[in-house]
Amino acid sequence: FEFLLPKHDFVEPWIQADPSCAAAFAAGYIDAEGSFYLTTTPTGLRKSAFAVATQDRQILVWMHRWFQSVGISCPPPKLALRQGVPRPFSLNKDHWILQVNRKDAQVRLIEVMRPWIRHSKRKADMERVLSNIKERNNHPSLKYARRAHRSWALTATF
């Protein structure tokens, strides 16, 4: 496990160059640091989400670019917690987060990651997210959605 000791905030070029290695690296990082989860909005709606949070900003920047390259739409990483701000725990570096909130992007993320994810909790959480998306896609009020990516949700199959 010596490969775990050096803490480098970058993705090796040989990993980036090989699509299978890039997918495996992203999946391993998601297994360790990512989270597929459900949240409740103020209106009581249960929504699915995905986030990966870490102090390794450059890895998240690479992951964002890689997500875009495989058809997973999401905003770039953003600062979640600033280093040195008083709180019950201390951070020696800024903490960054990369989120995927759109349903179509979450489905695509799960399609791409499903063969590579190994952590049983992550697998179960992915299935829970897919179930939530399917349930929300069948909601009667969806027919009034205006955004183009929501029209995809009417025809999506799982």
Side-chain angles (χ1 to χ4, degrees), residues 25-115:
F25 179 87
Y29 210 84
I30 289 168
D31 266 343
E33 304 289 343
S35 181
F36 292 89
Y37 60 96
L38 301 179
T39 185
T40 304
T41 67
T43 62
L45 176 68
R46 298 279 289 163
K47 287 181 61 176
S48 56
F50 167 80
V52 58
T54 181
Q55 293 179 350
D56 300 330
R57 180 179 179 272
Q58 292 306 315
I59 291 175
L60 291 186
V61 168
W62 170 84
M63 194 173 288
H64 174 257
R65 281 193 318 264
W66 184 78
F67 280 3
Q68 300 295 310
S69 75
V70 295
I72 300 165
S73 179
C74 64
K78 65 182 180 183
L79 183 62
L81 297 169
R82 194 167 288 288
Q83 135 188 13
V85 174
R87 59 177 56 87
F89 53 92
S90 63
L91 293 175
N92 58 359
K93 291 172 62 178
D94 290 340
H95 200 73
W96 296 85
I97 188 166
L98 176 63
Q99 297 174 297
V100 178
N101 292 314
R102 285 178 34 176
K103 292 187 295 186
D104 60 336
Q106 291 171 21
V107 170
R108 178 67 183 144
L109 174 62
I110 291 169
E111 286 173 352
V112 170
M113 290 289 98
R114 186 178 267 148

